[in-house]
């Protein structure tokens, strides 16, 4: 019987959905960080239960031909790039398999084609937003990233997957915080001032927003700090302060203040301009978000007479991208600042047929049903927890022909698709998209078609083909 600190030779046979290596020994399944399929290793046992265990690599006996040997292990230890040790083409295959496995294991679907994952040409330095904790390490104020499964800060200057300019701004801020002797947050003591630094940069515009997350309103010599920061980075158009005095893992508190410039940055996506506020959701990989949204738009096969519901609409990026091609768009988002951004973004792009409300998606759907709004297309882009059962039932009651489901968690997507199928929708196709290269996360777009609508579409296609055949004859 294996016990803690035993060392045993094993072969890695698979990867978990989070990218850990899988080994099987004496009827037990072990999970091993930084180990890839086909690799033989000496594994030290860290923990063992009745059926599963956890181990770490003591020594590599053989390496996978798909291992990226050049990765700085700090990115693995912090979780910044928890799949970065795997060559990028293999990452894409891994993600396609994750989608297929989730659909089969959770929804029992094996007969719907899952396309190969769409990837990036340059799968690094893509993130347009950084959320960086500030802590004291060895007596010095540092910025970096927490070691995986801990709150121990690992000081970092190059985050590998972030826009390099954002990395420069974070380092510049760190140095200014040191110069002005501003105290970093101490979680154990619930003391200190600066909790987090958040930096956003427009992918196309280059505009930068800096957010100081503090435990209290007053920041000593903050005007001088901002003056020095702007000199160093003139692209900064917004410096915000968020006050979070709660003992919580949440980044932001409820109170916001504008310290410099405006309370938003502007950027572009799919040809439209967008104002992005500090707390608003905006995809962190602009290049791949455009491919993700375009896939959803293409799947929906939009027509001029379509009425579209954009659920979890954020700042309106999806809905406003389709508004010029359809009759009406109705969007719902729970964050008030994002809803205000949506309305301003509609005006910014001269769009008058997009209407946004601040509410939960399920409540808005029920309200729209009562008001007699009958969508033909529903676009959903929910958070990781997926859709609620009440939303799925309400959306299916609208009789919408097509539902394009954008997912950042394929397990909850598969669960939701299973219920949609029970309510009369058919899954037609799935396209995974790699919004988060070097990590285990994968997004996917699925097309669901109402069974009756699917039959009508098939009949129409068959009639067209019959007419074509007769013409040929």
């Amino acid at each position: 019987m294996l016990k803690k600190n035993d060392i045993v030779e094993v072969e890695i046979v698979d990867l978990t959905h989070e990218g850990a290596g899988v080994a099987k020994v004496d009827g037990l399944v072990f999970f091993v960080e930084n180990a890839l399929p086909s690799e033989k290793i000496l594994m030290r046992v860290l923990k063992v239960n009745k059926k599963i265990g956890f181990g770490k690599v003591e020594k590599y006996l053989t390496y996978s031909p798909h291992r990226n040997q050049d990765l700085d292990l700090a990115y693995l230890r912090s979780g910044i790039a928890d799949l970065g040790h795997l060559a990028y083409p293999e990452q894409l295959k891994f993600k396609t398999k994750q989608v297929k496995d989730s659909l089969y294991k959770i929804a029992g679907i094996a007969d719907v084609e899952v396309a190969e994952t769409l990837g990036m040409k340059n799968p690094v330095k893509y993130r347009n937003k950084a959320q960086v904790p500030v802590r004291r390490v060895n007596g010095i104020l540092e910025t970096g990233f927490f070691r995986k499964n801990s709150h121990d800060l690992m000081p970092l200057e190059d985050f590998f997957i972030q826009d390099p300019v954002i990395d420069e701004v974070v380092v510049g801020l760190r140095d200014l915080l040191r110069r002005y002797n501003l105290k970093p947050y101490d979680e154990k003591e619930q003391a200190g001032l600066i909790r987090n630094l958040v930096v956003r940069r427009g992918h196309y515009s280059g505009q930068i927003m800096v957010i100081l997350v503090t435990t209290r309103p007053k920041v000593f010599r903050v005007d001088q700090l901002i003056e020095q920061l702007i000199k160093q980075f003139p692209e900064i158009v917004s410096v915000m302060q968020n006050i979070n005095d709660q003992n919580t893992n949440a980044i932001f508190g409820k109170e916001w203040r504008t310290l410099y410039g405006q309370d938003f940055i502007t950027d572009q996506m799919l040809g439209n301009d967008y104002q992005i506020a500090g707390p608003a959701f905006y995809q962190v990989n602009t290049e791949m978000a455009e491919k993700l949204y375009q896939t959803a738009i293409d799947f929906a096969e939009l027509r001029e007479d379509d009425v579209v519901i954009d659920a979890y609409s954020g700042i309106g990026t999806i809905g406003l991208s389709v508004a010029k091609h359809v009759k009406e768009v109705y969007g719902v988002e729970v964050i008030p600042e994002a809803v205000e951004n949506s309305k301003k973004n509609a005006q910014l792009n001269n769009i008058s047929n997009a209407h946004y409300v601040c509410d939960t998606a399920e409540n808005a759907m029920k309200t729209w049903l009562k008001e007699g709004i009958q969508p033909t297309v529903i676009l959903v882009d929910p958070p990781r927890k997926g859709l609620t059962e009440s939303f799925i039932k309400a959306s299916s009651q609208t009789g919408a022909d097509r539902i394009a489901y954008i997912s950042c968690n394929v397990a909850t997507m598969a669960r939701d698709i299973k219920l949609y199928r029970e309510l009369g929708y058919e899954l037609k196709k799935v396209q995974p998209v790699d919004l988060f290269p070097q990590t285990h996360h994968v997004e996917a777009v699925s097309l669901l078609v109402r069974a009756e609508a699917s039959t009508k579409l098939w009949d129409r296609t068959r009639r067209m083909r019959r007419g074509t055949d007769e013409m040929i004859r």
Side-chain angles (χ1 to χ4, degrees):
M1 181 70 179
L2 288 172
K3 60 185 184 302
K4 186 176 179 179
N5 286 326
D6 282 351
I7 296 176
V8 59
E9 181 178 331
V10 299
E11 181 176 357
I12 305 301
V13 295
D14 201 356
L15 287 175
T16 69
H17 71 280
E18 292 184 341
V22 177
K24 297 181 179 179
V25 191
D26 295 342
L28 298 172
V29 176
F30 279 86
F31 304 115
V32 189
E33 295 290 338
N34 194 15
L36 296 173
S38 82
E39 291 185 332
K40 291 182 180 178
I41 63 170
L42 291 181
M43 180 188 74
R44 181 181 291 274
V45 176
L46 298 177
K47 184 178 179 181
V48 62
N49 298 323
K50 288 183 179 180
K51 294 183 179 180
I52 66 168
F54 297 87
K56 74 171 186 177
V57 178
E58 195 73 10
K59 181 181 179 181
Y60 292 97
L61 302 177
T62 63
Y63 287 107
S64 165
H66 305 305
R67 173 171 285 277
N68 175 12
Q69 299 277 11
D70 298 328
L71 184 76
D72 183 336
L73 291 183
Y75 302 131
L76 276 181
R77 292 175 185 139
S78 64
I80 286 174
D82 56 9
L83 213 58
H85 57 312
L86 183 62
Y88 190 58
E90 297 301 312
Q91 290 184 32
L92 298 178
K93 291 178 184 177
F94 167 81
K95 294 182 182 189
T96 304
K97 183 176 182 294
Q98 293 306 304
V99 178
K100 288 179 178 178
D101 288 351
S102 293
L103 286 170
Y104 179 68
K105 293 175 182 177
I106 298 169
I109 298 171
D111 58 346
V112 175
E113 183 182 354
V114 175
E116 295 298 319
T117 302
L118 292 176
M120 294 188 77
K121 288 182 179 179
N122 184 27
V124 294
K125 303 185 183 304
Y126 58 83
R127 283 185 64 96
N128 59 38
K129 179 184 178 183
Q131 297 184 149
V132 180
V134 183
R135 299 292 185 270
R136 195 179 298 281
V137 180
N138 297 325
I140 300 172
L141 181 148
E142 295 282 8
T143 52
F145 217 73
F146 292 130
R147 189 180 298 274
K148 198 184 290 186
N149 303 319
S150 81
H151 274 206
D152 299 329
L153 189 82
M154 298 175 62
L156 290 171
E157 292 189 358
D158 178 350
F159 282 75
F160 184 53
I161 58 174
Q162 276 176 188
D163 182 325
V165 176
I166 290 179
D167 286 347
E168 292 173 16
V169 173
V170 170
V171 171
L173 266 169
R174 179 203 65 188
D175 293 346
L176 286 167
L177 293 174
R178 288 174 179 174
R179 184 195 302 182
Y180 290 104
N181 197 28
L182 294 173
K183 289 183 167 51
Y185 182 58
D186 185 317
E187 283 181 284
K188 291 180 182 177
E189 300 296 328
Q190 293 292 294
L193 175 65
I194 309 294
R195 293 178 70 126
N196 295 280
L197 304 177
V198 180
V199 182
R200 285 187 127 144
R201 182 171 188 257
H203 177 77
Y204 293 108
S205 69
Q207 292 184 358
I208 297 172
M209 171 186 283
V210 171
I211 305 169
L212 304 174
V213 183
T214 64
T215 55
R216 56 184 182 272
K218 188 171 176 58
V219 180
F220 179 63
R221 296 171 73 183
V222 70
D223 291 338
Q224 291 169 266
L225 183 150
I226 291 171
E227 183 182 349
Q228 293 300 316
L229 187 66
I230 301 303
K231 279 184 183 177
Q232 195 174 349
F233 301 100
E235 307 98 322
I236 293 174
V237 299
S238 171
V239 179
M240 305 291 294
Q241 180 185 9
N242 177 267
I243 300 158
N244 184 354
D245 60 359
Q246 301 298 304
N247 182 12
T248 173
N249 289 331
I251 300 291
F252 294 136
K254 293 180 179 178
E255 187 177 347
W256 288 85
R257 296 182 176 186
T258 304
L259 302 180
Y260 169 83
Q262 57 204 34
D263 61 357
F264 63 89
I265 61 171
T266 302
D267 202 24
Q268 294 79 43
M269 187 174 288
L270 291 178
N272 283 334
D273 294 321
Y274 293 97
Q275 289 185 3
I276 309 160
F281 172 78
Y282 190 73
Q283 293 282 10
V284 298
N285 185 341
T286 306
E287 177 187 330
M288 295 308 291
E290 289 185 313
K291 291 185 179 180
L292 180 79
Y293 293 160
Q294 190 60 57
T295 298
I297 292 166
D298 292 344
F299 274 19
E301 296 183 359
L302 297 170
R303 301 185 292 262
E304 288 183 3
D305 60 347
D306 276 325
V307 175
V308 177
I309 283 179
D310 177 15
Y312 307 90
S313 55
I315 62 170
T317 43
I318 305 176
L320 296 178
S321 296
V322 307
K324 292 178 180 178
H325 308 290
V326 299
K327 184 178 179 182
E328 300 286 343
V329 173
Y330 295 88
V332 56
E333 171 58 51
V334 76
I335 299 173
E337 293 89 347
V339 175
E340 287 306 307
N341 275 165
S342 300
K343 293 175 179 178
K344 288 177 182 176
N345 290 332
Q347 293 173 354
L348 199 61
N349 294 285
N350 299 313
I351 293 170
S352 59
N353 62 334
H355 320 281
Y356 290 93
V357 296
C358 185
D359 204 342
T360 63
E362 46 269 36
N363 283 347
M365 187 65 73
K366 291 172 184 175
T367 300
W368 287 328
L369 272 172
K370 289 177 184 175
E371 291 174 353
I373 294 169
Q374 299 229 291
T376 52
V377 176
I378 298 175
L379 303 171
V380 294
D381 186 8
R384 292 190 59 77
K385 63 184 178 180
L387 302 171
T388 64
E389 187 174 330
S390 62
F391 176 89
I392 293 172
K393 289 181 176 176
S395 60
S396 65
Q397 286 168 9
T398 66
D401 294 338
R402 291 145 282 155
I403 299 172
Y405 189 137
I406 298 171
S407 170
C408 60
N409 182 344
V410 293
T412 53
M413 179 190 76
R415 177 202 67 197
D416 295 344
I417 286 172
K418 183 179 181 182
L419 181 52
Y420 269 122
R421 292 177 91 203
E422 292 170 4
L423 294 170
Y425 282 83
E426 298 176 1
L427 178 64
K428 290 296 184 182
K429 48 187 173 180
V430 182
Q431 174 65 69
V433 182
D434 192 19
L435 255 76
F436 306 100
Q438 315 305 330
T439 80
H440 70 274
H441 298 290
V442 59
E443 301 237 348
V445 183
S446 297
L447 175 64
L448 291 150
V449 176
R450 190 163 54 91
E452 183 184 339
S454 180
T455 302
K456 286 180 180 177
L457 184 63
W458 169 247
D459 286 344
R460 190 173 66 199
T461 304
R462 192 166 52 184
R463 284 197 302 272
M464 288 172 64
R465 285 178 178 167
R466 189 184 302 135
T468 302
D469 290 344
E470 289 174 356
M471 286 173 64
I472 293 170
R473 284 198 294 269

